[in-house]
Amino acid sequence: MSWTNEPGPPRPSAGMPPLPPIDDPLPVRPQGHGPVQPHGHGTAPSQQYGPAQLRPDQPPPAQPRPAEPSPEPSPEPSAPEHRPSGPADRVPSWGADLRRVAAYAATGVVIWTVILAVGRFSGLRANNGDLVYADSLLAGILVGVIGLMTPFLLVSTSRHDTGFRDRGLASLMLVGVPLTTALYTLGMLLWPVILGPRGAPGTVAAELNGDGRALLAAAMFLLASMTWCTATVLIMIKSVPMGALIAILPLLGEVFLFGIGGGTLFDGPASDAPVMLWTIAAGAGLVVMGIVAALLNRHEQRPRRASRAERRS
């Protein structure tokens, strides 16, 4: 018996039963077809199917499904940011603002009366170093300065409305300015006593507590100066920067008019003509101040109404 390199069935070992003959080779499973039925007999499953082949009772493997992108969670509506209210956000009530106006007026009455008394007894030093003593002319100039400065005293930089409220400003000014005028007029009743002999007899300054026309002329002059200056200051403060450019020339004109007019009135005789003149000026000033305040409030409330309408829609 000769040995060749041809493959053949393995020889049985001693003591082992002979293997059954193999009729057919291992079946080959074409790709893309179903499972292949075995052709041989007596072969073990591991010899009939390779590692990449499936058994007849094994289902085909499931194809991996592509991972679906997980939907992004919709953003929840965030609650409105709560900003702690500071001093600039606190707006006092209408009544509190009126009390503030009255308090400033009462303080101003005391301050200007003290200034007049110091000028009467000690003299006020001018820019050139000379002492100027209070008289009827200086009292009139002080009244003009009071009307010019009172609106500026109401300005408050610690409030977002700069001291002039966004709602009810017209009614506040129409009540507060005459109230301020009344308080200053009551304070001026002491001025003839303070001036003494330096108040020229027969003038408005000397007759404030003795002649009704003198007191009425002083009150109407003070009311006119306050109303016109308040209207100008409202335009300057509430309509920055364009309002400041528009109102600067009227304000300079008011400084000249009421400064000269106050000195002329208080150093002149009490008569019906100045009473009528300054009464007309005061009435016109009240109308103009009320219109300006109402228009400014309406202009400031328009964006707020639009924002509320957007939130409702």
Side-chain angles (χ1 to χ4, degrees):
M1 183 176 182
S2 62
W3 294 92
T4 61
N5 293 329
E6 294 181 0
R11 292 187 175 187
S13 303
M16 292 182 60
L19 295 176
I22 298 177
D23 299 335
D24 295 329
L26 290 174
V28 178
R29 180 176 180 269
Q31 295 184 357
H33 294 77
V36 179
Q37 298 297 331
H39 296 284
H41 299 284
T43 56
S46 60
Q47 294 177 350
Q48 292 183 1
Y49 301 97
Q53 294 174 345
L54 300 176
R55 295 192 301 271
D57 56 348
Q58 182 179 359
Q63 297 293 332
R65 298 175 59 184
E68 297 181 358
S70 58
E72 297 182 358
S74 58
E76 298 181 358
S78 58
E81 182 180 358
H82 176 71
R83 185 181 63 177
S85 58
D89 297 327
R90 301 193 190 102
V91 178
S93 63
W94 190 93
D97 265 344
L98 182 61
R99 290 192 295 270
R100 182 172 72 101
V101 172
Y104 285 162
T107 306
V109 169
V110 175
I111 292 175
W112 292 113
T113 303
V114 170
I115 291 176
L116 188 66
V118 170
R120 163 66 176 83
F121 296 104
S122 301
L124 301 175
R125 190 168 298 277
N127 293 333
N128 56 5
D130 297 338
L131 288 177
V132 177
Y133 290 92
D135 54 5
S136 301
L137 179 63
L138 182 60
I141 296 176
L142 287 179
V143 174
V145 174
I146 290 173
L148 292 169
M149 291 190 63
T150 298
F152 289 99
L153 295 177
L154 300 177
V155 177
S156 176
T157 57
S158 62
R159 290 170 47 170
H160 77 274
D161 57 1
T162 63
F164 298 98
R165 55 190 307 108
D166 296 335
R167 298 175 62 90
L169 179 62
S171 59
L172 177 66
M173 292 294 101
L174 290 175
V175 175
V177 172
L179 176 61
T180 301
T181 303
L183 292 176
Y184 274 113
T185 303
L186 291 176
M188 285 190 293
L189 293 174
L190 296 175
W191 288 17
V193 178
I194 295 174
L195 290 175
R198 290 188 175 276
T203 60
V204 171
E207 301 295 334
L208 284 172
N209 55 0
D211 191 342
R213 293 178 303 176
L215 186 63
L216 183 58
M220 291 298 102
F221 171 79
L222 186 58
L223 181 60
S225 62
M226 282 189 182
T227 52
W228 284 101
C229 293
T230 300
T232 306
V233 171
L234 285 177
I235 296 174
M236 292 182 63
I237 300 300
K238 305 290 280 184
S239 301
V240 175
M242 186 58 65
L245 298 177
I246 295 174
I248 186 65
L249 289 179
L251 183 62
L252 293 177
E254 290 164 357
V255 171
F256 177 79
L257 173 63
F258 293 113
I260 300 300
T264 303
L265 173 66
F266 276 68
D267 200 32
S271 61
D272 295 335
V275 172
M276 184 174 297
L277 173 64
W278 292 114
T279 300
I280 294 173
L286 278 172
V287 173
V288 172
M289 181 187 66
I291 293 175
V292 169
L295 290 178
L296 289 174
N297 271 176
R298 184 177 180 182
H299 176 72
E300 291 175 349
Q301 292 174 10
R302 189 175 303 167
R304 298 183 180 180
R305 292 174 182 171
S307 62
R308 286 198 297 265
E310 290 178 359
R311 288 196 298 267
R312 290 175 184 174
S313 61

